[in-house]
Amino acid sequence: AQSVTQPDIHITVSEGASLELRCNYSYGATPYLFWYVQSPGQGLQLLLKYFSGDTLVQGIKGFEAEFKRSQSSFNLRKPSVHWSDAAEYFCAVVANQAGTALIFGKGTTLSVSS
Amino acid sequence: DVKVTQSSRYLVKRTGEKVFLECVQDMDHENMFWYRQDPGLGLRLIYFSYDVKMKEKGDIPEGYSVSREKKERFSLILESASTNQTSMYLCASSLTTGADGYTFGSGTRLTVV
């Protein structure tokens, strides 16, 4: 069965510092991989996605993620964090076939200190 | 933009009540989903549907049922609400395999007292 692990429950980063949020997945083949963000009191917004091809994908708000098959990882990065990036971040995976559903990690809460 | 609309933002119900959570999407998506979100547990899949009148159990279907009579509408039903069903409920929709990602509604925060 597919599963997603986000090892960090809570991370605090200084404004302007770089950010990396970790995500590991378990799946037999290469799945579709996603990162979503949820700001307080808001719905989930898609940051970026990976299906195939270039293993470094660019998303919205200056985020990027790198797919590493050998490590079953899909870590999210941002070179310089802004206070507005404080939110909860979810990594998710879905199989490349109809009739399946996104499976989410438990999320990482990002706090940004000034 | 695809819009997924959940009928209620906040809902308070009594234990034992039958509760209906409604979700409507406006972009002709085949797939629709219900998740519940709890602190520290992330989003857990309750049920999903890949076609009208079709449904599949997710990871935590106990205590819930669903209905999809029309393509655009997917209802989550709590047959007899219990306090452990107090949660945030999120509806989502997607095309076919979900390759484009899912579009989520704003959520319904349900409190069962």
Side-chain angles (χ1 to χ4, degrees):
Chain A
Q2 302 167 67
S3 67
V4 179
T5 302
Q6 294 180 246
D8 304 305
I9 297 173
H10 190 193
I11 284 182
T12 299
V13 175
S14 298
E15 191 168 15
S18 64
L19 169 71
E20 183 169 28
L21 301 182
R22 296 183 291 164
C23 173
N24 293 97
Y25 69 91
S26 173
Y27 187 65
T30 300
Y32 295 159
L33 294 159
F34 304 84
W35 275 99
Y36 284 84
V37 60
Q38 186 179 38
S39 298
Q42 303 296 314
L44 273 81
Q45 182 181 23
L46 180 65
L47 281 176
L48 48 77
K49 58 190 177 185
Y50 173 79
F51 304 145
S52 64
D54 192 348
T55 56
L56 185 63
V57 293
Q58 303 296 321
I60 62 171
K61 304 186 180 188
F63 285 92
E64 65 179 28
E66 186 172 13
F67 170 65
K68 292 185 177 180
R69 183 190 304 274
S70 61
Q71 298 176 20
S72 296
S73 68
F74 188 57
N75 294 349
L76 182 71
R77 301 194 295 245
K78 187 170 185 178
S80 177
V81 168
H82 187 262
W83 64 266
S84 60
D85 292 324
E88 190 161 20
Y89 292 79
F90 293 96
C91 182
V93 60
V94 68
N96 180 14
Q97 62 185 72
T100 59
L102 264 181
I103 302 300
F104 285 84
K106 294 184 178 181
T108 298
T109 299
L110 172 66
S111 297
V112 180
S113 60
S114 56
Chain B
D1 279 354
V2 177
K3 187 174 277 187
V4 177
T5 303
Q6 295 183 231
S7 55
S8 303
R9 187 78 176 99
Y10 298 95
L11 213 51
V12 180
K13 295 293 182 181
R14 295 197 179 277
T15 300
E17 275 193 77
K18 190 169 186 176
V19 181
F20 293 85
L21 302 184
E22 306 289 346
C23 176
V24 177
Q25 51 96 1
D26 66 0
M27 264 313 264
D28 204 35
H29 280 177
E30 287 85 357
N31 298 340
M32 296 189 74
F33 309 84
W34 277 106
Y35 291 86
R36 65 177 281 177
Q37 182 179 13
D38 301 287
L41 296 179
L43 280 79
R44 293 178 292 166
L45 181 66
I46 305 172
Y47 268 98
F48 66 103
S49 168
Y50 52 87
D51 201 352
V52 175
K53 297 191 185 294
M54 303 300 290
K55 61 184 179 183
E56 292 284 342
K57 292 181 179 179
D59 297 321
I60 52 164
E62 297 77 18
Y64 303 94
S65 62
V66 290
S67 172
R68 194 166 182 202
E69 297 294 321
K70 294 184 178 181
K71 192 173 187 178
E72 67 271 17
R73 185 180 297 271
F74 192 36
S75 302
L76 179 69
I77 304 157
L78 286 66
E79 298 292 344
S80 177
S82 64
T83 55
N84 63 13
Q85 293 178 309
T86 291
S87 186
M88 171 68 84
Y89 290 87
L90 293 170
C91 176
S93 72
S94 77
L95 289 170
T96 56
T97 61
D100 293 326
Y102 293 8
T103 300
F104 283 85
S106 298
T108 295
R109 184 164 294 282
L110 172 68
T111 302
V112 183
V113 298

